Amino acid sequence: MFETLPGFREFYPEQFSTRSGLFESWKRSLEICGFSEYEGSVLEPLDLYIEKSGNEIVEQLFHFVDKGERKVALRPEMTPTLARMVGNKANALRKPVKWFNIGDHFRYERMQKGRTRCFTQLNVDILGEAGVKADVESIYTLILVCQRLGLDAQKFYIRLSDRDLWLIALDALGVEESKQSQVLGVIDKIERNSEEQTREALEKIVGGDVSSMLSTIQSLFEVKSVDAIEAWFDKLKTPEVELQERIRGRIAEWKELVSSLESLGCAGFYEIDLSIVRGLAYYTGFVFEAFERGRRSRALAGGGRYDHLVKKLGGPEFPAVGWAMGDVTMTDCLEHHGILPKASLPSKVFVVMDDSTRDTAMSDVGLLRKAGVCALFSYKRSGFGKQFKEANQTNCDWVLVYGGDEVAEDKVSVKELESGQETKVARSELLAFLGAQGLGD
RNA sequence: GUGGUAGUAGCUCAGUUGGUUAGAGCACCGGUUUGUGGUACCGGGGGUCGCCGGUUCAAGUCCGGUUUACCACCCCA
């Protein structure tokens, strides 16, 4: 037998039902917030990703040369595709652009828990709006999606940070602009690395004694409220007027963000945590990640503002904010809490017949199906007992018995399996009867 | 890319210091039951013991390689 390729997945009907249930929930939650679904290409020019993230990411991509000598890659994420799609039609799109996609993504890496080579992601983005309102909506939709899957504030939370604030802080600390992104890289790893490693990395970039800078940076990790952010900057005592302007402006935006989230009922669902920087180079402002509480696992979702990506890919200036959520980690989380979703299935009827009534019964099966009623029957000639058994095994809710007695009266016995209740219904009334039970179109 | 652990039926596993024809439960199929299901009892099908090689009279069992999975690093969209 051939085996599935490493890191790729197959979904048997039972798992597929969970998957569909998850997708249905995602889709519904975003439609509620006024987002429209879109789809991009799964295969993209390799340069689209090199352009954005640098050459080293090529090793993690599923990439190859096609028969037309084109260097191509299976998409590892949606954002560059989306940025290009929006950039191409930027002037024709009504703003804000509120789009979501549920699609497969690929990366060639060693597998482990919560990580495969093929995964499905929900991508939610708002483009064309630079104001904080878009950040609020983005974070809010993430919370809503989780809530509607059955996750409450005891089960997950969002860690909220701000790359812009870090850049201001680094300016205030006197770090040259050209070195700031490198320093952000070090900050991103601070929790994982030892203090010694961090100090060395920082010295290498900035030079000289960095211990006071390091402790100032670390003190920003402790900050848990907007007031504390304000106090942290007050303590720095930056003399430059222009920098003070920036600090004041950013804090005002933080205040707006927090108060809007509170009024949307998001209190308890998020924490300010400036240790989140996020590795991707294209993030520019607020960034955030969703985590399960009380369990060490991968982020459930992550996102943030990326105001320059559309332009970087050849489009016009187009501010954007968005996030992505993977199906692997989310399914794992929902399973852990015993709240796996299921695809919604319509009620089904099973038609029981014998040789003498087969023609009548089958012609009714045809009529029922045409009217949108799910109607099954056995492919075997077997006794009524067997057929009832099959009705159970195929998860039917109703059985229609076409026995000789019933058909002679031009009637059908209709039995509801769960209650065991059975009534005789005239064949001409059958559709109306089932319709009253919520079956059919 | 580095390291650790594991692979026996569709699933969960048992299989003694190497020893006849490799087992159990669940699931599946059939029967008890040719006009009424879920329960119960009885029966049945299903295995190159991941793959290749080695040691041995004899390998599911020991050794080497390989592959796959899981876990921890690395990295993270």
Side-chain angles (χ1 to χ4, degrees), chain A residues 23-95:
Chain A
F23 293 177
E24 278 171 24
S25 175
W26 279 352
K27 190 172 172 168
R28 182 84 185 111
S29 296
L30 286 150
E31 284 168 352
I32 286 168
C33 299
F35 285 71
S36 311
E37 194 167 8
Y38 71 99
E39 179 60 288
S41 170
V42 179
L43 197 64
E44 290 279 17
L46 181 58
D47 286 344
L48 180 62
Y49 304 109
I50 295 176
E51 197 71 18
K52 181 217 68 181
S53 316
N55 228 322
E56 67 281 356
I57 210 166
V58 174
E59 290 308 312
Q60 293 166 10
L61 288 172
F62 250 105
H63 69 104
F64 53 93
V65 178
D66 74 6
K67 290 183 179 176
E69 308 280 307
R70 281 172 286 259
K71 287 183 178 175
V72 295
L74 288 166
R75 65 183 179 200
E77 60 163 331
M78 199 64 196
T79 313
T81 302
L82 169 68
R84 192 202 50 216
M85 284 171 71
V86 170
N88 282 344
K89 289 201 172 185
N91 293 330
L93 295 170
R94 196 188 62 79
K95 289 170 254 309

Coordinates of all heavy atoms in Angstrom, one line a residue, chain A residues 23-95:
Chain A
F23 N -15.2 24.8 10.2 CA -15.2 25.8 9.1 C -16.6 26.6 9.1 O -16.6 27.8 8.9 CB -15.0 25.1 7.8 CG -13.7 24.6 7.6 CD1 -13.4 23.9 6.4 CD2 -12.7 24.7 8.5 CE1 -12.1 23.3 6.2 CE2 -11.4 24.1 8.3 CZ -11.1 23.5 7.2
E24 N -17.7 25.8 9.3 CA -19.0 26.5 9.4 C -19.0 27.6 10.5 O -19.5 28.6 10.3 CB -20.1 25.4 9.7 CG -20.5 24.6 8.5 CD -21.5 23.5 8.9 OE1 -22.1 23.5 10.0 OE2 -21.5 22.5 8.1
S25 N -18.4 27.2 11.6 CA -18.4 28.2 12.7 C -17.6 29.4 12.4 O -18.0 30.5 12.6 CB -17.9 27.5 14.0 OG -17.7 28.4 15.1
W26 N -16.4 29.1 11.9 CA -15.5 30.3 11.4 C -16.3 31.2 10.5 O -16.4 32.4 10.7 CB -14.3 29.7 10.7 CG -13.2 29.2 11.6 CD1 -13.1 29.3 12.9 CD2 -12.0 28.5 11.2 NE1 -12.0 28.7 13.4 CE2 -11.3 28.2 12.3 CE3 -11.5 28.1 9.9 CZ2 -10.1 27.6 12.3 CZ3 -10.3 27.4 9.9 CH2 -9.6 27.2 11.1
K27 N -16.9 30.6 9.5 CA -17.5 31.3 8.4 C -18.7 32.2 8.9 O -18.8 33.3 8.6 CB -18.0 30.3 7.3 CG -18.5 30.9 6.1 CD -18.8 29.9 5.0 CE -19.4 30.5 3.8 NZ -19.5 29.7 2.6
R28 N -19.5 31.5 9.7 CA -20.6 32.2 10.3 C -20.2 33.4 11.2 O -20.7 34.5 11.1 CB -21.5 31.2 11.1 CG -22.7 31.8 11.8 CD -23.9 31.8 10.8 NE -25.0 32.5 11.4 CZ -25.5 33.6 11.0 NH1 -25.0 34.2 9.9 NH2 -26.5 34.2 11.6
S29 N -19.2 33.2 12.0 CA -18.7 34.2 12.9 C -18.3 35.5 12.1 O -18.5 36.6 12.5 CB -17.5 33.7 13.8 OG -18.0 32.7 14.6
L30 N -17.6 35.2 11.0 CA -17.1 36.4 10.2 C -18.2 37.1 9.4 O -18.2 38.3 9.2 CB -15.9 35.9 9.4 CG -14.8 35.8 10.4 CD1 -13.8 34.7 10.0 CD2 -14.2 37.1 10.7
E31 N -19.1 36.3 8.9 CA -20.3 36.9 8.2 C -21.0 37.8 9.1 O -21.5 38.9 8.7 CB -21.2 35.8 7.6 CG -20.5 35.1 6.4 CD -21.2 33.8 5.9 OE1 -22.1 33.3 6.7 OE2 -20.9 33.3 4.9
I32 N -21.2 37.4 10.4 CA -21.8 38.2 11.4 C -21.2 39.6 11.5 O -21.8 40.6 11.7 CB -21.7 37.5 12.8 CG1 -22.7 36.3 12.8 CG2 -22.0 38.5 13.9 CD1 -22.5 35.4 14.0
C33 N -19.8 39.6 11.3 CA -19.1 40.9 11.5 C -18.9 41.6 10.1 O -18.2 42.6 10.0 CB -17.7 40.6 12.1 SG -17.8 39.9 13.7
G34 N -19.6 41.1 9.1 CA -19.6 41.8 7.8 C -18.4 41.5 6.9 O -18.0 42.3 6.1
F35 N -17.8 40.3 7.1 CA -16.6 40.0 6.2 C -17.1 39.1 5.1 O -18.0 38.4 5.2 CB -15.6 39.2 7.0 CG -14.8 40.1 8.0 CD1 -15.3 40.6 9.1 CD2 -13.4 40.4 7.7 CE1 -14.6 41.4 10.0 CE2 -12.7 41.2 8.5 CZ -13.3 41.7 9.7
S36 N -16.4 39.3 3.9 CA -16.7 38.5 2.7 C -15.6 37.5 2.5 O -14.4 37.7 2.7 CB -16.8 39.4 1.5 OG -17.7 40.4 1.8
E37 N -16.0 36.3 2.0 CA -15.0 35.2 1.7 C -14.4 35.4 0.4 O -15.0 35.8 -0.6 CB -15.7 33.9 1.8 CG -14.8 32.7 1.9 CD -15.5 31.4 2.3 OE1 -16.7 31.4 2.4 OE2 -14.7 30.4 2.6
Y38 N -13.1 35.1 0.3 CA -12.4 35.2 -1.0 C -11.4 34.0 -1.0 O -11.3 33.2 -0.1 CB -11.5 36.4 -1.1 CG -10.4 36.5 -0.1 CD1 -9.1 36.2 -0.6 CD2 -10.5 36.8 1.2 CE1 -8.0 36.2 0.2 CE2 -9.4 36.8 2.1 CZ -8.2 36.5 1.6 OH -7.1 36.4 2.4
E39 N -10.8 33.7 -2.2 CA -9.8 32.7 -2.3 C -8.7 33.2 -3.3 O -9.0 33.9 -4.2 CB -10.5 31.4 -2.8 CG -9.5 30.2 -3.0 CD -8.8 29.8 -1.8 OE1 -7.9 30.5 -1.3 OE2 -9.1 28.7 -1.2
G40 N -7.5 32.8 -3.0 CA -6.4 33.1 -3.9 C -5.8 31.8 -4.4 O -6.4 30.7 -4.3
S41 N -4.7 32.0 -5.1 CA -4.0 30.8 -5.7 C -3.2 30.1 -4.7 O -2.6 30.7 -3.8 CB -3.1 31.3 -6.8 OG -2.3 30.2 -7.3
V42 N -3.2 28.7 -4.8 CA -2.4 27.9 -3.9 C -1.0 27.9 -4.3 O -0.1 27.8 -3.4 CB -3.0 26.5 -3.8 CG1 -2.2 25.6 -2.9 CG2 -4.4 26.4 -3.4
L43 N -0.7 28.1 -5.6 CA 0.6 28.1 -6.1 C 1.0 29.5 -6.5 O 0.2 30.2 -7.2 CB 0.7 27.2 -7.3 CG 2.1 26.7 -7.7 CD1 2.8 25.9 -6.6 CD2 2.1 25.9 -9.0
E44 N 2.2 30.0 -6.0 CA 2.6 31.4 -6.2 C 4.0 31.4 -6.7 O 4.8 30.5 -6.5 CB 2.4 32.1 -4.9 CG 1.0 32.4 -4.4 CD 0.4 33.5 -5.1 OE1 0.8 34.0 -6.2 OE2 -0.7 34.0 -4.6
P45 N 4.4 32.5 -7.3 CA 5.8 32.7 -7.7 C 6.6 32.7 -6.4 O 6.3 33.3 -5.4 CB 5.9 34.1 -8.4 CG 4.5 34.5 -8.6 CD 3.6 33.7 -7.7
L46 N 7.7 32.0 -6.5 CA 8.6 31.9 -5.3 C 9.0 33.3 -4.8 O 9.1 33.5 -3.6 CB 9.9 31.1 -5.7 CG 10.9 30.8 -4.6 CD1 10.3 30.1 -3.4 CD2 12.1 30.0 -5.2
D47 N 9.3 34.2 -5.7 CA 9.7 35.5 -5.4 C 8.8 36.3 -4.5 O 9.2 37.1 -3.7 CB 10.0 36.3 -6.6 CG 11.2 35.9 -7.3 OD1 12.0 35.2 -6.7 OD2 11.4 36.2 -8.5
L48 N 7.5 35.9 -4.6 CA 6.5 36.6 -3.7 C 6.9 36.5 -2.2 O 6.7 37.4 -1.5 CB 5.1 36.0 -4.0 CG 4.0 36.7 -3.1 CD1 3.8 38.1 -3.5 CD2 2.7 35.9 -3.4
Y49 N 7.4 35.3 -1.9 CA 7.8 35.1 -0.5 C 9.2 35.6 -0.2 O 9.5 36.0 0.9 CB 7.6 33.6 -0.1 CG 6.1 33.2 -0.4 CD1 5.8 32.4 -1.5 CD2 5.1 33.7 0.3 CE1 4.5 32.0 -1.8 CE2 3.8 33.4 0.0 CZ 3.5 32.5 -1.0 OH 2.2 32.2 -1.3
I50 N 10.1 35.4 -1.1 CA 11.4 35.9 -0.9 C 11.4 37.4 -0.7 O 12.1 37.9 0.2 CB 12.3 35.5 -2.1 CG1 12.4 34.0 -2.2 CG2 13.7 36.1 -1.9 CD1 13.2 33.5 -3.4
E51 N 10.7 38.0 -1.6 CA 10.5 39.5 -1.5 C 10.2 39.9 -0.1 O 10.8 40.9 0.4 CB 9.3 39.8 -2.4 CG 9.2 41.3 -2.8 CD 10.3 41.6 -3.8 OE1 10.9 40.7 -4.4 OE2 10.6 42.8 -3.9
K52 N 9.3 39.2 0.5 CA 8.8 39.7 1.8 C 9.6 39.3 3.0 O 9.7 40.0 3.9 CB 7.3 39.1 1.9 CG 6.6 39.5 3.2 CD 5.8 38.4 3.7 CE 6.7 37.2 4.2 NZ 6.0 36.1 4.6
S53 N 10.1 38.1 3.0 CA 10.7 37.5 4.2 C 12.2 37.2 4.1 O 12.8 36.7 5.0 CB 10.0 36.3 4.6 OG 8.6 36.4 4.5
G54 N 12.8 37.4 2.9 CA 14.2 37.1 2.8 C 14.5 35.7 2.3 O 13.6 34.8 2.4
N55 N 15.7 35.5 1.9 CA 16.0 34.2 1.2 C 16.0 33.0 2.1 O 15.7 31.9 1.6 CB 17.5 34.4 0.6 CG 17.5 33.9 -0.8 OD1 16.8 32.9 -1.1 ND2 18.3 34.6 -1.6
E56 N 16.3 33.2 3.4 CA 16.4 32.0 4.2 C 15.1 31.2 4.4 O 15.0 30.0 4.7 CB 16.9 32.3 5.6 CG 16.0 33.2 6.5 CD 16.1 34.7 6.0 OE1 16.9 35.0 5.2 OE2 15.3 35.4 6.6
I57 N 13.9 31.9 4.1 CA 12.6 31.2 4.2 C 12.4 30.2 3.1 O 11.6 29.3 3.3 CB 11.5 32.3 4.3 CG1 10.3 31.7 5.2 CG2 11.0 32.6 2.9 CD1 9.3 32.7 5.6
V58 N 13.2 30.3 2.1 CA 13.0 29.4 0.9 C 13.2 27.9 1.4 O 12.4 27.1 0.9 CB 14.1 29.7 -0.1 CG1 14.1 28.7 -1.3 CG2 13.8 31.1 -0.7
E59 N 14.0 27.7 2.3 CA 14.2 26.3 2.8 C 13.0 25.7 3.5 O 12.8 24.5 3.5 CB 15.4 26.3 3.8 CG 16.7 26.6 3.2 CD 17.0 25.7 2.0 OE1 16.8 24.4 2.1 OE2 17.4 26.2 1.0
Q60 N 12.1 26.6 4.0 CA 10.9 26.1 4.6 C 9.7 26.0 3.7 O 8.6 25.6 4.1 CB 10.5 27.0 5.8 CG 11.6 26.9 6.9 CD 11.4 28.1 7.9 OE1 10.4 28.8 7.9 NE2 12.4 28.2 8.8
L61 N 9.9 26.4 2.5 CA 8.8 26.4 1.5 C 8.8 25.1 0.7 O 9.8 24.5 0.4 CB 9.0 27.6 0.5 CG 8.8 29.0 1.0 CD1 9.2 30.0 -0.1 CD2 7.3 29.2 1.3
F62 N 7.6 24.8 0.3 CA 7.4 23.7 -0.7 C 7.6 24.4 -2.0 O 6.7 25.1 -2.5 CB 6.0 23.2 -0.6 CG 5.9 21.8 -0.1 CD1 5.4 21.6 1.2 CD2 6.3 20.8 -0.9 CE1 5.4 20.3 1.6 CE2 6.2 19.5 -0.4 CZ 5.8 19.2 0.8
H63 N 8.8 24.3 -2.6 CA 9.0 25.0 -3.9 C 9.7 24.1 -4.9 O 10.3 23.2 -4.6 CB 9.8 26.3 -3.6 CG 11.2 26.0 -3.2 ND1 12.3 26.2 -4.1 CD2 11.8 25.6 -2.1 CE1 13.4 25.9 -3.5 NE2 13.1 25.5 -2.3
F64 N 9.5 24.5 -6.2 CA 10.0 23.7 -7.2 C 10.0 24.5 -8.5 O 9.4 25.6 -8.6 CB 9.3 22.4 -7.4 CG 7.8 22.5 -7.6 CD1 7.2 22.6 -8.8 CD2 7.0 22.6 -6.5 CE1 5.8 22.7 -9.0 CE2 5.6 22.7 -6.6 CZ 5.0 22.8 -7.9
V65 N 10.6 24.0 -9.6 CA 10.6 24.6 -10.9 C 9.5 23.9 -11.7 O 9.6 22.7 -11.8 CB 12.0 24.6 -11.5 CG1 11.9 25.2 -12.9 CG2 13.0 25.2 -10.6
D66 N 8.6 24.6 -12.3 CA 7.5 24.0 -13.1 C 8.0 23.7 -14.5 O 9.1 24.1 -14.9 CB 6.2 24.8 -13.0 CG 6.2 26.0 -13.8 OD1 7.2 26.3 -14.6 OD2 5.3 26.8 -13.7
K67 N 7.1 23.1 -15.3 CA 7.5 22.7 -16.7 C 7.8 24.0 -17.6 O 8.5 23.8 -18.6 CB 6.5 21.9 -17.3 CG 6.4 20.5 -16.7 CD 5.4 19.6 -17.4 CE 5.4 18.2 -16.7 NZ 4.4 17.3 -17.3
G68 N 7.3 25.1 -17.2 CA 7.6 26.3 -17.9 C 8.8 27.1 -17.3 O 9.0 28.3 -17.5
E69 N 9.6 26.3 -16.5 CA 10.9 26.9 -15.9 C 10.6 28.0 -14.9 O 11.5 28.8 -14.7 CB 11.8 27.4 -17.0 CG 12.1 26.5 -18.2 CD 13.2 25.5 -17.8 OE1 14.3 25.9 -17.3 OE2 13.0 24.3 -17.9
R70 N 9.4 28.0 -14.4 CA 9.0 29.1 -13.4 C 9.4 28.5 -12.0 O 9.1 27.4 -11.7 CB 7.5 29.4 -13.5 CG 7.2 30.4 -14.6 CD 5.6 30.5 -14.7 NE 5.1 29.3 -15.2 CZ 4.7 29.1 -16.5 NH1 4.7 30.2 -17.3 NH2 4.2 28.0 -16.9
K71 N 10.0 29.4 -11.2 CA 10.2 29.0 -9.8 C 8.9 29.3 -9.1 O 8.5 30.4 -9.0 CB 11.3 29.8 -9.2 CG 12.7 29.4 -9.8 CD 13.8 30.2 -9.1 CE 15.1 29.8 -9.5 NZ 16.2 30.7 -9.0
V72 N 8.3 28.2 -8.5 CA 7.0 28.4 -7.8 C 7.1 27.8 -6.5 O 7.9 27.0 -6.1 CB 5.9 27.7 -8.7 CG1 5.7 28.4 -10.0 CG2 6.2 26.2 -8.9
A73 N 6.1 28.2 -5.6 CA 6.0 27.7 -4.3 C 4.5 27.5 -3.9 O 3.7 28.3 -4.3 CB 6.7 28.6 -3.3
L74 N 4.2 26.4 -3.1 CA 2.9 26.3 -2.5 C 2.8 27.4 -1.4 O 3.8 27.6 -0.7 CB 2.7 24.9 -1.9 CG 2.6 23.8 -3.0 CD1 2.7 22.5 -2.3 CD2 1.2 23.9 -3.6
R75 N 1.7 28.0 -1.3 CA 1.6 29.2 -0.4 C 1.9 28.7 1.1 O 1.2 27.8 1.6 CB 0.3 29.9 -0.5 CG -0.9 29.0 -0.1 CD -2.2 29.8 -0.3 NE -3.3 29.0 0.1 CZ -4.6 29.2 -0.4 NH1 -4.8 30.2 -1.2 NH2 -5.5 28.4 0.0
P76 N 2.8 29.4 1.8 CA 3.0 29.1 3.2 C 2.1 29.9 4.1 O 2.0 29.7 5.3 CB 4.5 29.4 3.4 CG 4.7 30.5 2.4 CD 3.8 30.3 1.3
E77 N 1.6 31.0 3.6 CA 0.7 31.9 4.3 C -0.1 32.6 3.3 O 0.2 32.6 2.1 CB 1.5 32.8 5.2 CG 2.4 33.7 4.4 CD 2.9 34.9 5.1 OE1 2.2 35.3 6.0 OE2 4.0 35.3 4.8
M78 N -1.1 33.3 3.8 CA -2.1 34.0 2.9 C -1.8 35.4 2.6 O -2.1 36.0 1.6 CB -3.5 33.9 3.5 CG -4.6 34.0 2.5 SD -4.6 32.7 1.2 CE -5.7 33.5 0.0
T79 N -1.1 36.1 3.6 CA -1.0 37.5 3.6 C -0.4 38.1 2.3 O -1.0 39.1 1.7 CB -0.3 38.0 4.8 OG1 -0.9 37.3 5.9 CG2 -0.5 39.5 5.0
P80 N 0.7 37.6 1.8 CA 1.2 38.2 0.5 C 0.3 38.0 -0.6 O 0.1 39.0 -1.4 CB 2.5 37.4 0.3 CG 2.9 36.8 1.6 CD 1.6 36.6 2.3
T81 N -0.4 36.9 -0.8 CA -1.4 36.7 -1.8 C -2.5 37.8 -1.7 O -2.9 38.4 -2.7 CB -2.0 35.3 -1.7 OG1 -1.0 34.3 -1.8 CG2 -3.0 35.1 -2.9
L82 N -3.0 37.9 -0.5 CA -4.1 38.9 -0.2 C -3.6 40.3 -0.5 O -4.3 41.0 -1.2 CB -4.5 38.8 1.2 CG -5.4 39.9 1.7 CD1 -6.8 39.8 1.1 CD2 -5.6 39.9 3.2
A83 N -2.4 40.6 -0.1 CA -1.9 42.0 -0.3 C -1.8 42.3 -1.8 O -2.1 43.4 -2.3 CB -0.5 42.1 0.4
R84 N -1.4 41.2 -2.6 CA -1.3 41.4 -4.0 C -2.7 41.6 -4.6 O -2.9 42.5 -5.5 CB -0.5 40.2 -4.7 CG -0.2 40.5 -6.1 CD 0.0 39.3 -6.9 NE -1.1 38.4 -6.7 CZ -1.0 37.0 -6.6 NH1 0.2 36.5 -6.7 NH2 -2.0 36.3 -6.5
M85 N -3.6 40.7 -4.2 CA -4.9 40.8 -4.8 C -5.6 42.2 -4.5 O -6.2 42.8 -5.4 CB -5.8 39.7 -4.2 CG -5.6 38.3 -4.7 SD -6.5 37.0 -3.8 CE -8.2 37.3 -4.2
V86 N -5.4 42.6 -3.3 CA -6.0 43.9 -2.9 C -5.2 45.1 -3.7 O -5.8 46.0 -4.2 CB -5.9 44.1 -1.4 CG1 -6.3 45.6 -1.1 CG2 -6.9 43.2 -0.7
G87 N -3.9 44.9 -3.7 CA -3.1 45.9 -4.4 C -3.5 46.1 -5.9 O -3.6 47.2 -6.4
N88 N -3.8 45.0 -6.5 CA -4.1 45.0 -8.0 C -5.4 45.8 -8.2 O -5.6 46.3 -9.3 CB -4.3 43.6 -8.5 CG -2.9 42.9 -8.8 OD1 -1.9 43.6 -8.8 ND2 -2.9 41.6 -8.9
K89 N -6.3 45.7 -7.3 CA -7.6 46.4 -7.5 C -7.9 47.5 -6.5 O -9.0 47.9 -6.3 CB -8.8 45.3 -7.4 CG -8.8 44.3 -8.5 CD -10.2 43.7 -8.5 CE -10.3 42.8 -9.8 NZ -11.6 42.3 -10.0
A90 N -6.8 48.0 -5.9 CA -6.9 48.9 -4.8 C -7.9 50.0 -5.0 O -8.7 50.4 -4.2 CB -5.6 49.5 -4.4
N91 N -7.9 50.6 -6.2 CA -8.7 51.8 -6.5 C -10.2 51.5 -6.7 O -11.0 52.3 -6.5 CB -8.2 52.6 -7.7 CG -6.8 53.2 -7.4 OD1 -6.6 53.5 -6.2 ND2 -6.0 53.3 -8.4
A92 N -10.4 50.2 -7.0 CA -11.8 49.8 -7.3 C -12.5 49.3 -6.1 O -13.7 49.1 -6.1 CB -11.8 48.7 -8.4
L93 N -11.8 49.0 -5.0 CA -12.4 48.4 -3.8 C -12.9 49.5 -2.8 O -12.2 50.4 -2.5 CB -11.4 47.5 -3.1 CG -10.9 46.3 -3.9 CD1 -9.7 45.7 -3.2 CD2 -12.0 45.3 -4.0
R94 N -14.2 49.2 -2.4 CA -14.7 50.1 -1.4 C -14.0 49.8 0.0 O -13.8 48.6 0.3 CB -16.2 49.8 -1.2 CG -17.0 50.9 -0.5 CD -18.4 50.4 -0.2 NE -18.4 49.2 0.7 CZ -18.3 49.3 2.0 NH1 -18.1 50.4 2.6 NH2 -18.3 48.2 2.7
K95 N -13.6 50.8 0.6 CA -12.9 50.6 1.9 C -13.8 50.8 3.1 O -14.7 51.6 3.0 CB -11.7 51.6 2.0 CG -10.6 51.2 1.0 CD -9.5 52.3 0.9 CE -9.5 53.1 -0.4 NZ -9.5 52.9 -1.7

